[in-house]
Amino acid sequence: MDQSKLLHLLLLSLVTLCYHCTACHVTDREALVAFKEGITSDPFGILSSWNYTGDCCTNWAGISCNPATGRVTSLNIPSMTDAIDAYLEGTLSPALGMLSHLSILRIVGLKQISGPIPPSLGSLAQLTDIALSANNFSGPIPSSLWGLKNLKRLLLSSNNLSGHLPEDIGLLRGLVYLDLSNNQITGTIPQSIGNLTSLSVLDLINNSLSGYIPASISGMTSLRFLRLSKNNLNGVLPESIGSLLKLETISLFDNSITGNIPSSVGHLPMLREIYLSDNQLTGKIPSTIGNSTKLLTIDLNSNNLSGPIPQELTQLHDLQTLDLAFNPLEIHTPPAWLGNLGVFKLSLAATGITGPLPEWLQSAKSLTILDLSSNSISGTIPNWIGSISGLEYLNLAHNALQSTIPTEFKNLVNLMELDLSCNNLSGPLRPVLEKGNSGLFGGFKTLNLSYNSFTGGIPEDIGVMEEINGVEILDFSYNPLGGMIPKTMKNLTSLKEVRMASDGLSGEIPIGLLDIPVLTEFDVSRNQLTGRIPKHSRPLPADGFKGNPRLCGEPLPPCKHK
């Protein structure tokens, strides 16, 4: 007899011996033993307490039983370890279908449990909760699960599940939470989904669903969170969405939804977030949106919406984020009332703004993120720019600004992300590099000054400037800077990307600069650099060094010895 059969007989013998001495029901014990046998690797000892002599109800971690009957009511694997990278490898045994009194099945975040979800789970009529998220299950969701009439929560997110949503989904009238996000589910959203009158959360984000959003969603009267982003949905957003009076979040970004934003969104008194970016929406932003006075976030980025921006937005006293970027609003001069909204984030990139920077910005003290890039803003960077002292992110790239950097720029003490690229800014770099900081915050993480007319070289002390010492992305390329690469730059040990192409730089590349541990991109092409490229351990592409005729050494051709 081979070893596997001998082991199986031994396990069955142990089960029989323990039948009279433990509270755990023999059928349930057999099912749990079969589950453990389906696990081929348990390097973190998640199931180490599942020994074959102990009582599965009292000694096996993650198992709860009815004390009167000894029947297993809950199988909750994640409770067994605090290790972030813990995992189990194997498959889910069909024998779990023998746990006839099971109400909670929770096997979450164990990463390497693969194969299909057993159809036998559909026989567990008492199940109220199924949570199998963040594993590696594949294949279709068994049809049988849709017949579990007592099911309240079905959480299968972050697997590799496929197939489509059946029309039978409408039979789960007690379902409260449905999360199938981050899978490969195809097909359309069934009309019967409107029968889920108890559903509070519908999360189908990041699948491959197609077709339109059915008007029958109006029947989901308990719905609070509608998350259908990152699919292939098309058609219009139904006017019936205005019937969902408990709705707090509409997340439909990154689809192909067309037509107007329905005016009925203004009928949603509990609405807090609306994410409709990266669709094909047209028409005007409905003025009724101002009636949803609990709104915190409006994100309509990257559509085909037209202006004007409705002044009814001033009714949204709690609004924190307004993102209308990359829409042909043609607003030319942004209305001054925008400065009174009190938002933290304002993004009007590529919305047709012309003329100087709006003066009302100086009174927008709440702003931490401001993006006015890809417009036709002209004139100077005004002295009052420093009065927006709460800014952490500022993007004025791809405009027509022409000036030096005002000394008041130093007052942007919280600024960490700055993009002034593709303008006609001039003068020295120092007023940007020497801006103040607030202590804990305010050091640059990303700094892009490329494609301008800055002169005067890169300051020699750049590597000891407090505002720069944590910078990760530094782009000075395509400026007539001149001068040499400062030796102190090697002190900027957080640098991941450095771009100084076409800056008129001369001299040698300082030793140590290419040895910054996290450096992945280094571009000094098309300068007048000379000498041998310092030896370095990290692979750096040759394209980053080309266009310097007197530069040599790895990754360029070797230097010629005299």
Side-chain angles (χ1 to χ4, degrees), residues 83-403:
I84 294 175
D85 295 323
Y87 69 90
L88 291 175
E89 190 169 340
T91 57
L92 204 58
S93 172
L96 289 179
M98 298 162 56
L99 299 173
S100 57
H101 290 251
L102 195 69
S103 61
I104 297 174
L105 174 61
R106 190 170 188 269
I107 303 173
V108 174
L110 297 172
K111 304 176 184 68
Q112 298 302 318
I113 298 184
S114 58
I117 296 175
S120 60
L121 297 183
S123 65
L124 303 179
Q126 296 188 35
L127 272 177
T128 61
D129 293 68
I130 299 178
L132 301 176
S133 300
N135 290 294
N136 197 25
F137 293 116
S138 58
I141 300 169
S143 303
S144 59
L145 295 189
W146 308 114
L148 294 171
K149 301 294 177 61
N150 291 316
L151 203 60
K152 293 187 179 300
R153 281 164 287 274
L154 179 59
L155 314 178
L156 304 178
S157 65
S158 301
N159 283 287
N160 291 304
L161 298 171
S162 56
H164 63 276
L165 299 175
E167 196 65 32
D168 289 350
I169 194 173
L171 299 176
L172 300 178
R173 296 178 184 270
L175 198 63
V176 173
Y177 200 130
L178 177 61
D179 186 356
L180 307 180
S181 61
N182 301 306
N183 280 290
Q184 301 167 22
I185 297 169
T186 57
T188 60
I189 299 174
Q191 287 280 348
S192 65
I193 204 164
N195 296 332
L196 303 182
T197 55
S198 299
L199 196 67
S200 176
V201 178
L202 176 60
D203 194 340
L204 303 176
I205 284 179
N206 198 24
N207 279 284
S208 297
L209 293 166
S210 56
Y212 56 89
I213 300 169
S216 62
I217 62 168
S218 59
M220 304 166 72
T221 51
S222 299
L223 197 64
R224 295 172 57 203
F225 301 96
L226 176 63
R227 299 173 180 147
L228 304 177
S229 300
K230 294 188 175 182
N231 280 285
N232 300 315
L233 298 172
N234 52 45
V236 301
L237 188 57
E239 191 76 27
S240 61
I241 198 169
S243 301
L244 305 178
L245 301 183
K246 295 183 180 180
L247 202 58
E248 297 179 26
T249 296
I250 299 174
S251 181
L252 299 174
F253 65 86
D254 200 1
N255 279 288
S256 298
I257 298 171
T258 57
N260 296 344
I261 299 172
S263 60
S264 62
V265 295
H267 302 160
L268 303 174
M270 306 304 292
L271 191 62
R272 293 180 176 272
E273 303 169 306
I274 181 165
Y275 300 97
L276 298 177
S277 62
D278 293 283
N279 279 286
Q280 299 170 25
L281 294 165
T282 55
K284 298 181 184 300
I285 301 168
S287 59
T288 55
I289 201 169
N291 297 331
S292 298
T293 55
K294 291 185 182 292
L295 270 170
L296 302 174
T297 298
I298 298 175
D299 185 355
L300 308 179
N301 190 310
S302 300
N303 280 283
N304 293 307
L305 298 168
S306 55
I309 303 173
Q311 191 167 353
E312 286 79 3
L313 293 183
T314 55
Q315 300 167 203
L316 306 177
H317 301 299
D318 296 328
L319 194 64
Q320 298 176 2
T321 295
L322 179 61
D323 190 344
L324 307 179
F326 296 95
N327 281 284
L329 299 176
E330 299 301 327
I331 54 180
H332 302 298
T333 302
W337 54 260
L338 284 172
N340 300 323
L341 287 179
V343 296
F344 300 143
K345 176 182 177 180
L346 178 62
S347 184
L348 298 175
T351 54
I353 300 174
T354 60
L357 281 169
E359 289 192 11
W360 54 260
L361 282 171
Q362 61 187 305
S363 62
K365 305 297 184 183
S366 61
L367 280 177
T368 59
I369 297 174
L370 177 61
D371 188 350
L372 301 178
S373 62
S374 301
N375 282 293
S376 298
I377 300 172
S378 57
T380 64
I381 294 181
N383 295 338
W384 52 254
I385 193 76
S387 66
I388 322 175
S389 56
L391 279 178
E392 298 174 9
Y393 175 98
L394 175 61
N395 191 346
L396 299 176
H398 295 272
N399 279 290
L401 294 165
Q402 302 183 55
S403 69

Side-chain angles (χ1 to χ4, degrees), residues 18-38:
C18 294
Y19 174 63
H20 296 290
C21 63
T22 68
C24 187
H25 192 279
V26 63
T27 302
D28 293 357
R29 186 182 180 90
E30 287 178 0
L32 294 174
V33 168
F35 168 73
K36 185 173 183 179
E37 287 179 341

Side-chain angles (χ1 to χ4, degrees), residues 442-453:
F444 281 118
K445 294 297 182 185
T446 300
L447 178 57
N448 189 347
L449 303 178
S450 62
Y451 291 92
N452 278 288
S453 300

Side-chain angles (χ1 to χ4, degrees), residues 11 71 91 115 240 268 331 334 340 356 371 409 434 463 477 505 518:
L11 292 174
R71 301 308 299 258
T91 57
S240 61
L268 303 174
I331 54 180
N340 300 323
D371 188 350
F409 195 86
E434 286 191 335
S477 56
L505 299 172
V518 294

